[in-house]
Amino acid sequence: MSDFRTQYRAATKTFIIVLAILSASVFCSGQGRTVERMFISTDRPYYAAGDKIYCSAFCLTPEGELSGFSAVSYMELYSADGHSVTGKIALTEGRGAGSIDLPSDLPTGNYRLIAYTAVNHNEEGFDYGSFSKTVSVYNTSSASRVEGGVEIIPDMASGGQEETGTGDLDITLGESSEGGLSLFMNSGKQTFVSVSIYHDEHLPVYDTGSMKSFLSSIKKPQGFLDNSVPEYDGEIVRIQIEPSEGTIADLSGKDVFISTPGSISDIYATPLGKDGVAEYFTTNIFGNKDMAIEIKDFGKPFSFSFVNPFVGKGPKDGIPVMKISQSMEKAISRLGESMQVVKMFDADTLYDYLPSRSIHFTGKDRVSYILDDYTRFSTMREIFIEYLFDITTRRNRDKGIELVVSCNDEVRKNSYVPSGESLIMIDGVPVFDHNLIYEYDPALVKRIDVYPYVYFIGGRSYYGMADFVTFEGNMPSFNFGPEVKITDFQGAGVPVAITGKNFPAEYPNIRETIYWNPLLTLEGGESTPIEVVLPAYSGDFKIVVEGIDCEGNPIYRTAYFETE
């Protein structure tokens, strides 16, 4: 009876997945159309090569309202001579935050930043430069420059043309009780903004792409195409698979899993299509990390490549030439020094992590066996026999050892050993040859997490899960077969704020960005306070508040202060 109920739930889950795919088909057939435009604000206008560009994303309708449709946006930063850097930002109800990592060998020059969503691929003649802003990058460890993009001049005025204040928002400054800066913001309406406070180096500032000019320039689509499935849950990851032996037909229909070591929240599976493409409807994978790609019940080597989600079509003309003079030398050197100091620290000392999506499919409590709380046996076999009674071992004539998780029956309020397959993992990566787990060194394992329920992954049901979590979290000394590949994956940027509250006292506090909140909501008629930790040096600082209010009106306010 329990197996019947779980099969019914599996069928129900499959039906829901089919409905989701049908929804995308309805979108592409023209029965409903969503138009979106991306706007990105950044923590400052200039950086050193090797820095991070912190980004705040606004996904907007042509009317200037936040769009809750797309769940991921794509960013491209490129120069006139072809150098490019990419990034992804997860979106929730039209807002998101992330970063772009600038390579340390990026040449000095001006770069254009563009952003878009998958919805934009379905607009006929869409201009991927409809939003763009200029970001300046200075390489302080190399003389490399964007070809034709840098001009050396005798001297020049610093800064750039300052945009006038826009929108119903006031900024008041004061001194905090701890000797830092207190900042108060008042808005007449509910307002969605990013707030940046950075060291004003008085370097040239080029076209920063204001919200006001962006909203006023939005054009209606010329027409619609059916090029792309909207990403309303998260990024759709596509992987092209090629077997080293045989043909794609030998693999068609086999389940291909992706997962990220150290995170059980990033497991997805899908049957391989006849064209050799595995397509994953994720709820966004966060961070740049290792990814395991494995073909279930294959056992042979294969090759793969990610289908590139970036368009690479941004207009390269019109990027302003960077002008550099001798008088800028000290300011540029400070950018490089700040970058090097910040990169020395662990992220936890610099950032406050902002909310992102939770584990996408477990949903229920787990049972954790911390191995140091028990006798440390020398083999996994002893652990299963002596105290890990939630996992049963049985012998399979073809597979050898098979591990089965006892499942809870939520109706009968008891547990049972299922006849179906359990999902066994090491550090969040599925292991289908359970002999590898059975023979693994338990001295490397910190704990064993048991999930005693039925779970659905890729349209298939698994009767319980168990994750063998190692101390290192990266599957040390574990030897997968040829059906598993480990590769780098670029996920959505991890949303963070910068406050400086946890900056280590033993290091020089020479941060260029001293405060950054990319996802701040101001309630109308209320005063929102912000406490700012000041750096250890004197200088001029600029406050930039940018965004929109609840009626789609642009917001832009600046303020200045100096420290001695």
Side-chain angles (χ1 to χ4, degrees):
M1 188 67 174
S2 295
D3 284 351
F4 173 79
R5 278 193 296 271
T6 53
Q7 289 168 10
Y8 172 78
R9 275 178 272 175
T12 303
K13 181 72 172 182
T14 303
F15 179 65
I16 292 171
I17 293 171
V18 170
L19 280 180
I21 295 172
L22 285 175
S23 314
S25 299
V26 167
F27 176 93
C28 290
S29 67
Q31 296 183 32
R33 291 294 187 178
T34 296
V35 177
E36 293 178 331
R37 295 291 183 268
M38 288 300 306
F39 179 88
I40 304 292
S41 61
T42 58
D43 61 315
R44 44 195 165 102
Y46 35 71
Y47 301 84
D51 254 328
K52 282 182 182 287
I53 300 177
Y54 293 99
C55 303
S56 174
F58 299 80
C59 185
L60 304 172
T61 68
E63 295 73 34
E65 298 175 352
L66 293 173
S67 170
F69 193 74
S70 290
V72 63
S73 65
Y74 301 91
M75 300 182 294
E76 298 184 32
L77 185 76
Y78 54 87
S79 64
D81 67 351
H83 290 87
S84 63
V85 190
T86 58
K88 304 171 185 175
I89 290 185
L91 299 172
T92 301
E93 297 301 322
R95 295 286 281 118
S99 60
I100 295 177
D101 293 318
L102 298 177
S104 57
D105 60 352
L106 200 64
T108 293
N110 283 331
Y111 291 76
R112 172 165 286 166
L113 175 64
I114 66 169
Y116 51 88
T117 68
V119 168
N120 298 137
H121 304 331
N122 291 321
E123 288 187 32
E124 185 177 349
F126 177 72
D127 177 12
Y128 287 95
S130 58
F131 160 76
S132 69
K133 68 187 308 176
T134 301
V135 174
S136 300
V137 177
Y138 299 90
N139 194 315
T140 59
S141 60
S142 167
S144 62
R145 300 170 185 167
V146 171
E147 185 176 353
V150 178
E151 179 183 355
I152 306 299
I153 62 174
D155 206 349
M156 67 177 296
S158 63
Q161 184 175 359
E162 178 68 57
E163 180 187 354
T164 58
T166 302
D168 183 12
L169 187 142
D170 295 320
I171 299 174
T172 304
L173 303 180
E175 185 175 342
S176 71
S177 57
E178 298 179 358
L181 176 74
S182 289
L183 184 152
F184 297 89
M185 291 179 291
N186 295 274
S187 176
K189 307 181 184 72
Q190 187 183 47
T191 302
F192 312 96
V193 296
S194 65
V195 180
S196 175
I197 306 178
Y198 66 91
H199 183 204
D200 188 352
E201 293 283 8
H202 301 291
L203 291 170
V205 176
Y206 301 86
D207 176 22
T208 56
S210 71
M211 178 70 81
K212 181 179 179 180
S213 60
F214 169 70
L215 291 175
S216 64
S217 65
I218 293 179
K219 299 178 181 178
K220 292 183 178 180
Q222 301 174 16
F224 293 97
L225 306 169
D226 294 336
N227 289 338
S228 179
V229 176
E231 295 175 312
Y232 45 76
D233 281 329
E235 181 184 1
I236 302 175
V237 177
R238 297 177 175 90
I239 303 176
Q240 179 73 53
I241 303 290
E242 293 286 348
S244 298
E245 304 173 5
T247 65
I248 288 294
D250 300 329
L251 288 174
S252 180
K254 287 190 176 295
D255 285 338
V256 183
F257 281 73
I258 60 172
S259 55
T260 60
S263 174
I264 195 175
S265 64
D266 293 331
I267 299 176
Y268 298 91
T270 187
L272 188 65
K274 293 181 180 180
D275 58 355
V277 175
E279 190 173 60
Y280 304 90
F281 290 77
T282 77
T283 57
N284 284 321
I285 297 172
F286 287 85
N288 298 331
K289 54 181 62 176
D290 289 339
M291 174 176 282
I293 304 171
E294 49 191 318
I295 305 175
K296 188 173 183 289
D297 300 328
F298 182 54
K300 299 178 182 179
F302 65 94
S303 61
F304 68 92
S305 60
F306 288 101
V307 177
N308 187 2
F310 299 99
V311 297
K313 294 180 180 178
K316 294 181 174 61
D317 58 330
I319 300 177
V321 173
M322 174 183 281
K323 300 182 184 299
I324 297 180
S325 67
Q326 185 66 35
S327 61
M328 298 162 54
E329 181 181 2
K330 290 184 179 179
I332 294 173
S333 295
R334 284 192 294 267
L335 291 179
E337 292 167 2
S338 173
M339 176 272 297
Q340 293 175 26
V341 168
V342 168
K343 290 185 74 171
M344 291 172 59
F345 305 124
D346 184 82
D348 290 339
T349 66
L350 300 177
Y351 311 140
D352 292 331
Y353 289 95
L354 301 176
S356 57
R357 68 112 168 96
S358 57
I359 295 177
H360 73 278
F361 68 89
T362 55
K364 297 182 182 296
D365 295 335
R366 71 187 183 198
V367 179
S368 291
Y369 291 85
I370 300 173
L371 268 58
D372 282 345
D373 291 345
Y374 301 86
T375 300
R376 270 288 182 180
F377 294 106
S378 60
T379 66
M380 284 292 184
R381 177 179 179 275
E382 293 172 291
I383 291 175
F384 293 132
I385 291 174
E386 295 297 332
Y387 61 82
L388 191 54
F389 305 125
D390 288 330
I391 299 179
T392 300
T393 60
R394 59 190 181 201
R395 293 195 174 270
N396 184 298
R397 187 182 347 182
D398 298 322
K399 297 182 178 180
I401 293 294
E402 183 178 6
L403 303 179
V404 183
V405 176
S406 297
C407 290
N408 291 343
D409 187 321
E410 297 175 86
V411 176
R412 294 184 175 181
K413 305 299 181 184
N414 61 7
S415 63
Y416 63 97
V417 177
S419 58
E421 181 180 9
S422 298
L423 184 65
I424 307 300
M425 299 165 283
I426 180 167
D427 288 328
V429 175
V431 178
F432 298 107
D433 182 355
H434 296 175
N435 296 281
L436 298 176
I437 293 289
Y438 198 72
E439 297 165 2
Y440 193 59
D441 185 356
L444 302 175
V445 179
K446 179 180 181 180
R447 69 175 192 273
I448 301 172
D449 293 335
V450 178
Y451 300 83
Y453 298 93
V454 179
Y455 299 93
F456 305 93
I457 305 174
R460 298 184 186 274
S461 57
Y462 290 89
Y463 292 80
M465 302 188 303
D467 188 17
F468 291 71
V469 181
T470 68
F471 285 99
E472 296 183 19
N474 58 1
M475 310 171 295
S477 302
F478 198 86
N479 297 315
F480 283 105
E483 72 280 3
V484 180
K485 302 287 187 182
I486 307 295
T487 187
D488 295 330
F489 180 76
Q490 181 185 23
V494 178
V496 298
I498 300 174
T499 63
K501 293 179 181 178
N502 299 317
F503 198 89
E506 63 272 22
Y507 290 100
N509 188 347
I510 57 173
R511 299 168 295 130
E512 285 287 317
T513 299
I514 64 172
Y515 183 88
W516 169 247
N517 189 331
L519 298 173
L520 186 61
T521 299
L522 308 176
E523 297 301 332
E526 297 181 6
S527 178
T528 302
I530 291 176
E531 297 295 317
V532 180
V533 178
L534 296 176
Y537 61 89
S538 60
D540 298 332
F541 295 86
K542 184 175 182 178
I543 303 168
V544 179
V545 181
E546 190 163 21
I548 58 170
D549 65 25
C550 58
E551 296 178 358
N553 300 308
I555 299 292
Y556 183 84
R557 279 287 187 271
T558 60
Y560 298 85
F561 66 93
E562 62 178 297
T563 61
E564 297 179 353

